[in-house]
Amino acid sequence: MPSMLRSRKVAIGLLLLLVLVLVALLGPLIAPHSPDWQANRSSGLPLGPSGAHWLGTDQQQHDLFSRLLAGGRDTLLISFLAGALANVLSVLVGVTAGFLGGVADEVLSALTNIFLALPGLLILMVIMKPLPPEDTSNPLLIGSVIALTAWAWGARVLRAQTMAMRSQDYVESARVIGERTWRIILFEVVPNLLPILASAFIFTVIYGIGTYTALAWLGVISPASVTWGTVLNEAQGSGAAINGYWWWYLPPALAVALVGIALALINFGIDEVTNPRLASARTGRRDRVRFTLGLTPVLRSAGQVPAADGGQAGPEGSASETTTKSEPGAGPAPHRMEAQP
């Protein structure tokens, strides 16, 4: 984690995301008015930004700055909830299919391919349109429905990585000593997939915020829920873009874009830190980037000195490294030899 924080992209993305999350959490408390407050009930003309209304008003004389602050909470909550649930489904389907193989792999892979082929936004509209308004304003329900259309991509990637890992020596050692399948998956395979899980989670959150905003903009979400998407829907219905009421639609659109930019920066930064090729291209060095993931400690043999080509040379000068993986209570595992480039 400290190495990731040294990445400028990760630091900027985290700072921007932290500001947006704080605004979303504290927005309803610091807003000058409630979302339903009206400045004037007799006028139907939107007012431009002023000292009294920083972002102007809409056609119903609602204070748009207050609605912007209040609309971020549900938007971010649903997006992060969809990302978390989609990640859980991706691990259950993708890692299980890649590790077990055989008939289980064929069935789960076919299920993944079906969900990959389905048009997600169209399916969500078909599912949510018949629901009553109180259900389309329920963050838990909406986040769960969005997660159902967002897990397949992550499952495909995790399956491929798990298939490459299931023949590793530490997995074979766990099988030999009689560890159960679920424990091997949880404590040997999943910890080594954490960088991919982090990237998949961020990608799914970006997908979730875009999808939820699109559903609200298309009128599928209940208008009673004040979110960035419903404000955009009201602006579209009143012809704000045609009439030049930029203060009505531009701030919520920028808020959605800033969340996406922050998450994308974090994703790019994590990819640079965890991918040795990108790290060496960025720094101009050939240093190898190593990470110790999982619960099993890795012990490196003593007496190694740096080789001339940047690898690790043993006492005899051979470019090799001996690592020993041991697990508490299970005794030492076999030695693993990793060739250095």
Side-chain angles (χ1 to χ4, degrees):
M1 187 65 180
S3 60
M4 292 185 182
L5 292 178
R6 286 196 293 267
S7 171
R8 185 176 301 176
K9 292 180 181 178
V10 174
I12 295 175
L14 284 176
L15 180 61
L16 181 58
L17 183 62
L18 179 62
V19 171
L20 292 170
V21 170
L22 289 177
V23 169
L25 293 176
L26 303 178
L29 302 177
I30 63 178
H33 306 285
S34 66
D36 298 329
W37 178 85
Q38 292 177 284
N40 190 343
R41 298 179 182 272
S42 60
S43 175
L45 183 65
L47 303 177
S50 62
H53 308 289
W54 291 3
L55 295 180
T57 65
D58 58 13
Q59 202 166 19
Q60 289 76 35
Q61 299 301 304
H62 295 135
D63 183 65
L64 290 176
F65 180 65
S66 300
R67 293 173 76 83
L68 178 69
L69 294 177
R73 180 178 293 182
D74 283 354
T75 304
L76 294 184
L77 174 62
I78 290 171
S79 303
F80 280 94
L81 179 62
L85 293 177
N87 250 21
V88 172
L89 291 174
S90 298
V91 171
L92 290 177
V93 176
V95 176
T96 302
F99 189 82
L100 296 181
V103 178
D105 183 24
E106 294 180 1
V107 173
L108 294 176
S109 296
L111 180 65
T112 302
N113 293 333
I114 292 174
F115 275 87
L116 281 174
L118 292 176
L121 185 60
L122 181 59
I123 296 299
L124 288 173
M125 293 180 63
V126 171
I127 294 176
M128 299 185 63
K129 191 64 176 177
L131 297 178
E134 58 270 15
D135 290 338
T136 57
S137 60
N138 185 345
L140 180 60
L141 176 62
I142 299 173
S144 302
V145 174
I146 293 177
L148 289 177
T149 62
W151 62 268
W153 176 85
R156 170 67 67 85
V157 176
L158 291 174
R159 171 184 174 271
Q161 294 296 323
T162 303
M163 291 180 67
M165 293 173 54
R166 67 183 181 184
S167 59
Q168 295 294 323
D169 54 355
Y170 55 91
V171 176
E172 294 295 336
S173 300
R175 284 198 184 102
V176 169
I177 64 177
E179 293 290 353
R180 297 182 179 179
T181 301
W182 66 267
R183 192 180 187 283
I184 299 175
I185 292 176
L186 288 181
F187 295 101
E188 298 294 343
V189 177
V190 172
N192 289 280
L193 297 174
L194 287 181
I196 301 176
L197 289 174
S199 180
F201 172 74
I202 294 173
F203 177 83
T204 310
V205 172
I206 296 176
Y207 169 81
I209 190 171
T211 302
Y212 178 65
T213 303
L215 291 173
W217 179 62
L218 294 172
V220 178
I221 305 300
S222 173
S225 301
V226 179
T227 65
W228 295 336
T230 54
V231 173
L232 291 173
N233 174 261
E234 294 169 356
Q236 179 196 24
S238 301
I242 299 176
N243 296 318
Y245 304 144
W246 58 267
W247 59 87
W248 194 344
Y249 62 86
L250 193 57
L254 285 177
V256 174
L258 286 175
V259 176
I261 291 173
L263 292 171
L265 287 174
I266 296 173
N267 193 17
F268 295 154
I270 292 176
D271 198 19
E272 282 187 356
V273 173
T274 58
N275 191 331
R277 293 182 179 179
L278 292 179
S280 60
R282 177 171 55 88
T283 59
R285 299 173 59 186
R286 297 181 59 192
D287 297 342
R288 296 194 63 186
V289 180
R290 293 183 176 273
F291 295 93
T292 303
L293 299 175
L295 300 181
T296 307
V298 177
L299 305 178
R300 305 185 187 278
S301 61
Q304 293 177 340
V305 295
D309 61 349
Q312 295 290 334
E316 294 81 9
S318 60
S320 62
E321 180 184 273
T322 304
T323 60
T324 303
K325 291 179 67 73
S326 60
E327 186 155 340
H335 290 281
R336 179 174 62 202
M337 303 297 295
E338 295 181 353
Q340 301 291 330

